[in-house]
Amino acid sequence: MYPYIPNTPQDEQEMLQAIGLDSMDLLFEDIPKDVRLTRPLNIPPSKSELEVSSYLKSLADKNCSVSRMACFLGAGAYDHYIPSVIDAIISRSEFYTSYTPYQPEISQGTLQYIFEYQTLISNLTGMDLANASLYDGGTAVTEAALMACAYSRKGEIIVSAGVNPQARRILKTYAHAQNLKVVEVETKEGVTDAERLNELISDETAAVIVQNPNFFGLLEDLKTLGEIAHKGKKVSMIASVNPISLALLKKPGELGVDVVVGEGQPLGIPLQFGGPYLGFMAVKKDYMRKLPGRIAGETTDLDGKRSYVLTLSAREQHIRREKATSNICSNQGLNVLAATVYMVTMGKEGLREAANQCVQKAHYAFNELTESGKYRPLFDKPFFMEFALTSDVDADKINKALLEEKIIGGYDLGRDYPQYKNAVLYAVTEKRTKEEIDKLRRVLEGVK
Amino acid sequence: MMKYYNKLIFELSKPGRKAYSLPALDVDEKPLNNLIPTEFLTDKELNFPEVSEVDVIRHYTNLSNKNYGVDKGFYPLGSCTMKYNPKINEAAARYDGFANLHPLQEEACVQGALQLMYELEKSLCEIAGMDRFTLHPAAGAHGEITGIMLIKAYHDKRGDFKRNKIIVPDSAHGTNPATAAMAGYSIVEIKSYENGLVDLEALREAAGEDTAGLMLTNPNTLGLYDRGVKEIANIVHEAGGLLYYDGANMNAIMGHARPGDMGFDTVHYNLHKTFSTPHGGGGPGSGPVGCKEILAEFLPVPLVGKREDGTYFLDYDVPDSIGKVKDFYGHFGILVRAYTYILMMGNDGLKKASEMAVLSTNYIKEKLKDYYHLPIDTLAKHEVVFGGLKDKSTGVTTLDIAKRLLDYGYHPPTVYFPLIIDQALMIEPTETESKETIDGFIDAMIAIAEEAKSNPELLKTAPHNTIVRRPDETKAARNPVLKYEG
């Protein structure tokens, strides 16, 4: 017997009898012999929960978790504070063992939190509406670009080199498959080169994609870049943003952005080695019927009660098949709930306070780390909570030295930008303490 | 449950309440506009609610009470494999070394995570009969597009650019044609025989020098094993195309048959179906993609490699890779859950799971076929599709049956899919349900069939005892209200 298979041999016999078969083997008679597997699968036999958990713990313990170190690594995934209420709520099995809310009568819990999430994301970004989420920040950039191409019926996407290199690689993979053209606009002193963008905009341009704060942590002039983008006809201005930053920064909706996407991981989702995270997408009204992914909407039921359903499904694959806006047929469900609970728990004041602490501590760290002159700012531009420093010391060597002192160092920009060899990108969240930052400085000063 | 609860979190907001606490800032605070120029800063307050922690917990606990999940009861939703989600999976994914690991940490810091991914890949290869797997895709549909891009890369590398079509049977999941289109292909839809199996003649006609590949699920969406699969593979391969296996229905055949042995070149699993990871109200899932050696050189980067000294590494050295399809390395937290399940079940347990899933399905088929129209009465695999009531004279539809099942406390089966069966009711019990549970469901289905005769209005106006009743979807789509505006 197995813990997750309740039927006993007697049940099995009774059921076989009811369908008129003598043995379990006959249930697979329809599979021709030449494709039947006649040997056991070459994986180990079943084990007890104690054996499995002890093995998995041994694997987990081989990893150096950020909870035991001071993490200054960001580059797309951030070590923010996660309130305890989040795990308490997402651990409720009424939420996590449910399916996509196709039967609204018994899915009002899921549908309502999606509706609340759409409201919060719309308010945060200053946009008209949001979908129920996409896989992650990187694929959300691609979905936005594909939507812009469908919207404009054009096939050229201009993307800033300041956009996360992973997101750009995903975009290129999909663009290649669909014969779309991706043009990169370089950065100048760390931010998108506006003059160059102006030269690149043409009648073929479907979208301009920038990130804010960009991959180097720097603030982009979204308003100016958007004005340049909109010189083209039906060009979508797409901004990939850090949601925490929007507690302090001007909203993309106020700056002429048409489509806002981003990585929702900072909103209460654990790092968990890169996923699952959450891609958010919010748009201006004009894009409503081109939006990929699920959307929840408010309605009333037979008795006139306020209720929620999945809506605008005429866009989706199960109705439109090959004409759908995307092949996507899920959302990040439970992570949407985590982000919703995070946003309402932090609330109006808390998100602002967390964002302010990130900014204050990052700037303190920047000043401390650059004071002696051994580490120099790679760029001289306003930043949010991440900044790049360069030096004569090899990035790898720096990070090894930090690791010995239980500090997770920054991201080696040379991995993606050969011109910035030895430049390291540091992220400072509200979780880092003055003590940790001071220790980072001490260790860095000692690296030879 | 409290009396009917119908508040949005925004309606609980009261200025001054808070649910968070942060340590006092321990560096000297500077005016924000000394750090960030004013032109970047907003002067507007955030339009977020102000609530206490108690409000948050009560609100979402009340919302959870409005949901139905596998932990509450039977969830025979065809094609979705709503099996029980073991609790050790949840615990393992929360182990500190897994949950709090940054994806860009040094290789030496993440050896346990890489080892888990390496071992999971080996297990997935063995179960599907494939040579390599990428763990990156976030969901089934994401797996599909990854697999189709592998096929495209294969043809492109051979300079074979004339192949611009993907063949999809009319019984396929809607994601299949949507995926092929998203990968830049046009779709050739081929008819199925009346029994839902691929029409070999239609396939022979469709296959040709413009065929890039075929997308198929086997057992198909009617829950039937397609005996012609080797012939199907031959036809497509002889035309120069490749075969993609939609692994949505893998729960029927674990340990009994493998897509790799059937002739498929690439495959995706839905870890949230077959390997017991929770559906989470719609996600996050995970859709790893496997392939035969001929396609391995195109897999997304990075793969996980193992060195001779026993250490693991992220392998970016895949020169002909299609590139990246996903941030980082996939839904690692879901991979942990799926691997936990594989370790718990072992080769014997996985095989048993498929057997019991198939047994339960055939049992339901046998018990209900006198009451519901069974268009194809042959041995079923993991799911069975009925075509509404046997007696259709009362005008009771599949939707009415589904809504009435809610009154009986069951999640209804999948309705109106597959499209090739009129009034389709698709039932997938999975292996995790006891005979008593299944008998209870059968009794409810029979009682509903009786009610349809004696009191059809009762069904047409169902459900009667749910917290809301048939929310108006037409109204929602015509006049979209997609956010709360106070």
Side-chain angles (χ1 to χ4, degrees):
Chain A
M1 291 297 295
Y2 301 88
Y4 324 138
I5 306 180
N7 282 326
T8 64
Q10 194 197 330
D11 295 326
E12 205 175 294
Q13 280 315 310
E14 285 172 21
M15 290 165 83
L16 277 172
Q17 215 167 19
I19 60 175
L21 293 182
D22 296 334
S23 79
M24 295 293 269
D25 278 351
L26 294 173
L27 289 168
F28 294 88
E29 229 193 1
D30 50 350
I31 304 179
K33 286 216 163 52
D34 60 344
V35 293
R36 273 236 232 152
L37 192 66
T38 50
R39 61 168 177 82
L41 286 169
N42 184 21
I43 57 176
S46 54
K47 289 191 184 63
S48 69
E49 186 168 300
L50 271 179
E51 289 164 300
V52 171
S53 59
S54 115
Y55 178 64
L56 289 169
K57 268 184 196 137
S58 77
L59 290 186
D61 289 344
K62 285 188 190 178
N63 299 326
C64 320
S65 99
V66 299
S67 57
R68 284 174 277 177
M69 296 197 279
C71 179
F72 290 94
L73 184 55
Y78 301 92
D79 181 27
H80 286 288
Y81 159 64
I82 301 179
S84 313
V85 291
I86 294 176
D87 204 45
I89 294 299
I90 67 170
S91 295
R92 290 193 67 89
S93 71
E94 298 88 339
F95 286 130
Y96 80 80
T97 73
S98 64
Y99 190 69
T100 298
Y102 285 137
Q103 293 291 340
E105 287 88 347
I106 52 172
S107 311
Q108 286 298 302
T110 299
L111 287 161
Q112 189 178 322
Y113 78 64
I114 293 175
F115 183 80
E116 292 180 354
Y117 163 86
Q118 289 172 184
T119 305
L120 292 158
I121 293 291
S122 302
N123 291 354
L124 188 62
T125 55
M127 302 300 279
D128 295 326
L129 66 138
N131 73 5
S133 80
L134 300 164
Y135 305 136
D136 59 21
T139 57
V141 166
T142 291
E143 290 283 356
L146 298 181
M147 177 175 70
C149 290
Y151 177 76
S152 63
R153 299 175 186 269
K154 293 189 275 185
E156 185 183 281
I157 301 147
I158 300 176
V159 59
S160 164
V163 170
N164 189 321
Q166 287 202 93
R168 283 183 283 137
R169 287 199 73 177
I170 297 167
L171 177 64
K172 280 175 197 161
T173 304
Y174 278 76
H176 173 77
Q178 292 198 16
N179 254 324
L180 303 170
K181 191 171 160 197
V182 177
V183 181
E184 279 199 6
V185 51
E186 290 307 310
T187 54
K188 193 175 164 189
E189 294 164 32
V191 296
T192 307
D193 185 340
E195 276 176 39
R196 185 72 190 119
L197 177 64
N198 197 29
E199 292 162 16
L200 288 171
I201 294 285
S202 76
D203 289 344
E204 305 305 311
T205 311
V208 172
I209 310 174
V210 298
Q211 181 177 319
N212 191 47
N214 71 16
F215 190 65
F216 308 122
L218 307 177
L219 297 172
E220 293 274 7
D221 182 356
L222 288 181
K223 192 156 187 267
T224 303
L225 294 171
E227 282 164 7
I228 295 171
H230 287 139
K231 285 183 181 171
K233 203 178 157 199
K234 270 204 141 181
V235 177
S236 300
M237 175 67 184
I238 300 171
S240 172
V241 301
N242 176 334
I244 303 280
S245 74
L246 296 181
L248 301 178
L249 300 181
K250 281 211 173 91
K251 295 183 191 315
E254 301 166 45
L255 299 168
V257 175
D258 300 302
V259 182
V260 181
V261 292
E263 176 50 68
Q265 181 272 333
L267 303 173
I269 297 167
L271 286 165
Q272 46 191 342
F273 202 47
Y277 293 166
L278 164 77
F280 58 86
M281 182 183 271
V283 295
K284 294 215 169 126
K285 229 183 249 139
D286 300 351
Y287 293 79
M288 184 170 75
R289 293 188 194 269
K290 293 278 179 218
L291 198 59
R294 296 267 155 77
I295 303 173
E298 188 177 293
T299 188
T300 48
D301 81 340
L302 284 177
D303 304 315
K305 275 190 205 158
R306 177 168 74 177
S307 45
Y308 302 90
V309 290
L310 289 179
T311 192
L312 301 176
S313 58
R315 304 160 296 116
E316 292 188 75
Q317 48 77 30
H318 61 282
I319 310 272
R320 296 273 284 169
R321 294 176 81 86
E322 71 267 23
K323 293 193 182 67
T325 52
S326 164
N327 75 338
I328 207 155
C329 73
S330 59
N331 65 57
Q332 293 296 89
L334 205 62
N335 283 356
V336 171
L337 178 60
T340 305
V341 177
Y342 178 86
M343 287 187 275
V344 305
T345 299
M346 298 307 282
K348 183 187 255 180
E349 296 303 323
L351 198 69
R352 198 179 159 83
E353 189 175 334
N356 182 49
Q357 290 213 8
C358 293
V359 173
Q360 297 286 345
K361 290 180 182 190
H363 286 79
Y364 171 79
F366 176 85
N367 290 337
E368 287 295 308
L369 267 42
T370 53
E371 198 181 354
S372 77
K374 182 175 178 181
Y375 298 92
R376 304 174 299 277
L378 185 62
F379 305 111
D380 180 25
K381 285 270 173 8
F383 63 92
F384 188 73
M385 54 172 271
E386 268 180 305
F387 55 86
L389 302 182
T390 186
S391 72
D392 304 326
V393 193
D394 189 61
D396 197 45
K397 209 166 159 189
I398 294 173
N399 281 341
K400 291 230 154 44
L402 290 171
L403 199 55
E404 280 179 25
E405 299 295 326
K406 291 201 165 290
I407 295 172
I408 300 170
Y411 183 74
D412 176 1
L413 283 176
R415 285 176 63 172
D416 304 296
Y417 301 86
Q419 70 271 36
Y420 300 137
K421 196 171 172 293
N422 287 351
V424 176
L425 182 69
Y426 294 92
V428 187
T429 69
E430 77 284 6
K431 266 179 85 174
R432 300 286 69 82
T433 62
K434 177 173 183 297
E435 198 180 326
E436 287 169 343
I437 297 167
D438 293 345
K439 183 176 168 186
L440 172 69
R441 174 182 174 161
R442 278 198 308 278
V443 183
L444 281 177
E445 289 299 325
V447 183
K448 293 207 175 64
Chain B
M1 187 171 165
M2 287 163 55
K3 218 171 135 249
Y4 181 66
Y5 180 78
N6 192 21
K7 285 266 179 18
L8 283 159
I9 191 78
F10 312 103
E11 293 163 341
L12 304 180
S13 184
K14 186 170 186 181
R17 283 216 176 110
K18 64 172 219 170
Y20 76 98
S21 58
L22 284 170
L25 187 63
D26 59 357
V27 301
D28 285 338
E29 183 161 11
K30 299 195 172 144
L32 202 53
N33 57 9
N34 285 9
L35 306 177
I36 294 177
T38 320
E39 70 248 37
F40 292 105
L41 296 170
T42 183
D43 50 9
K44 296 196 175 91
E45 281 198 328
L46 199 56
N47 185 9
F48 272 20
E50 295 173 88
V51 290
S52 72
E53 178 168 328
V54 184
D55 294 328
V56 172
I57 289 291
R58 291 250 169 88
H59 176 72
Y60 290 101
T61 301
N62 274 303
L63 289 197
S64 78
N65 288 335
K66 297 182 173 197
N67 255 19
Y68 188 90
V70 174
D71 282 7
K72 274 193 176 172
F74 191 41
Y75 214 124
L77 195 61
S79 194
C80 301
T81 316
M82 298 301 290
K83 59 171 73 179
Y84 171 70
N85 308 132
K87 302 309 151 194
I88 181 183
N89 297 0
E90 297 306 307
R94 286 169 171 80
Y95 292 161
D96 182 45
F98 293 145
N100 301 311
L101 200 61
H102 192 291
L104 298 171
Q105 280 179 251
E106 306 266 323
E107 184 189 295
C109 296
V110 299
Q111 283 296 302
L114 295 178
Q115 185 178 342
L116 183 140
M117 289 162 76
Y118 183 88
E119 292 179 6
L120 174 61
E121 183 189 342
K122 292 274 173 257
S123 306
L124 296 179
C125 283
E126 170 64 9
I127 295 164
M130 290 284 154
D131 296 315
R132 285 300 309 256
F133 258 87
T134 171
L135 304 174
H136 296 209
H142 200 208
E144 287 178 24
I145 192 153
T146 304
I148 295 301
M149 287 197 282
L150 295 180
I151 290 175
K152 189 178 175 73
Y154 170 87
H155 293 310
D156 285 356
K157 193 179 179 191
R158 293 154 56 99
D160 193 353
F161 297 109
K162 63 184 179 300
R163 299 187 180 274
N164 57 6
K165 293 191 171 69
I166 294 278
I167 303 174
V168 180
D170 57 3
S171 64
H173 296 120
T175 48
N176 290 176
T179 294
M182 208 176 172
Y185 285 109
S186 50
I187 319 303
V188 184
E189 193 173 273
I190 55 164
K191 288 257 169 269
S192 306
Y193 289 130
E194 272 175 19
N195 59 6
L197 305 184
V198 173
D199 182 332
L200 294 173
E201 276 317 306
L203 178 61
R204 277 195 194 94
E205 245 170 68
E209 59 179 22
D210 60 356
T211 301
L214 167 82
M215 297 180 86
L216 192 66
T217 174
N218 190 27
N220 64 18
T221 52
L222 278 85
L224 305 179
Y225 186 88
D226 200 324
R227 288 165 179 272
V229 67
K230 278 215 130 172
E231 184 55 25
I232 293 168
N234 283 340
I235 294 169
V236 175
H237 282 150
E238 271 168 27
L242 296 177
L243 283 93
Y244 183 85
Y245 182 88
D246 175 340
N249 299 339
M250 197 64 205
N251 207 46
I253 58 168
M254 285 187 293
H256 289 275
R258 310 191 304 170
D261 301 332
M262 298 174 200
F264 288 92
D265 303 290
T266 173
V267 45
H268 86 260
Y269 289 116
N270 298 81
L271 297 185
H272 46 284
K273 296 181 181 176
T274 317
F275 296 98
S276 83
T277 74
H279 282 77
S286 178
V289 167
C291 67
K292 295 275 179 68
E293 202 52 56
I294 52 160
L295 293 176
E297 62 184 304
F298 309 114
L299 285 168
V301 284
L303 292 161
V304 180
K306 186 179 183 180
R307 298 190 188 90
E308 279 179 15
D309 66 2
T311 57
Y312 299 87
F313 66 104
L314 289 169
D315 183 2
Y316 285 89
D317 187 18
V318 189
D320 287 324
S321 166
I322 57 169
K324 279 193 78 69
V325 296
K326 173 85 181 73
D327 280 344
F328 304 113
Y329 330 114
H331 285 168
F332 178 76
I334 306 300
L335 304 178
V336 173
R337 291 170 172 88
Y339 191 50
T340 306
Y341 177 74
I342 292 172
L343 290 175
M344 285 293 294
M345 297 295 279
N347 55 4
D348 48 326
L350 294 178
K351 189 174 179 202
K352 189 75 191 174
S354 285
E355 287 171 1
M356 291 309 300
V358 172
L359 177 61
S360 297
T361 304
N362 282 285
Y363 180 71
I364 291 172
K365 174 170 81 81
E366 208 53 38
K367 293 276 185 182
L368 290 183
K369 71 179 183 186
D370 291 339
Y371 305 89
Y372 291 85
H373 173 58
L374 180 62
I376 305 153
D377 187 7
T378 58
L379 187 62
K381 287 271 87 52
H382 63 301
E383 63 198 5
V384 56
V385 182
F386 289 98
L389 283 163
K390 209 162 188 176
D391 174 7
K392 294 201 167 53
S393 62
T394 57
V396 168
T397 65
T398 277
L399 185 69
D400 301 330
I401 297 162
K403 295 302 179 194
R404 183 64 180 147
L405 264 172
L406 297 171
D407 287 335
Y408 281 85
Y410 293 98
H411 194 289
T414 295
V415 292
Y416 301 106
F417 183 82
L419 308 174
I420 57 174
I421 301 290
D422 185 39
Q423 297 289 320
L425 262 168
M426 185 191 215
I427 302 173
E428 179 179 10
T430 85
E431 73 282 3
T432 63
E433 301 303 327
S434 68
K435 182 169 176 294
E436 292 89 321
T437 300
I438 290 170
D439 283 336
F441 171 73
I442 288 167
D443 290 346
M445 286 292 283
I446 293 172
I448 289 169
E450 300 295 347
E451 287 171 353
K453 280 187 205 148
S454 60
N455 188 1
E457 273 313 300
L458 185 68
L459 271 66
K460 289 177 189 172
T461 53
H464 299 281
N465 55 22
T466 48
I467 50 167
V468 295
R469 299 168 56 228
R470 299 203 194 200
D472 189 343
E473 296 186 5
T474 312
K475 177 181 170 186
R478 278 213 189 123
N479 178 24
V481 178
L482 309 178
K483 63 180 183 185
Y484 174 76
E485 304 203 66

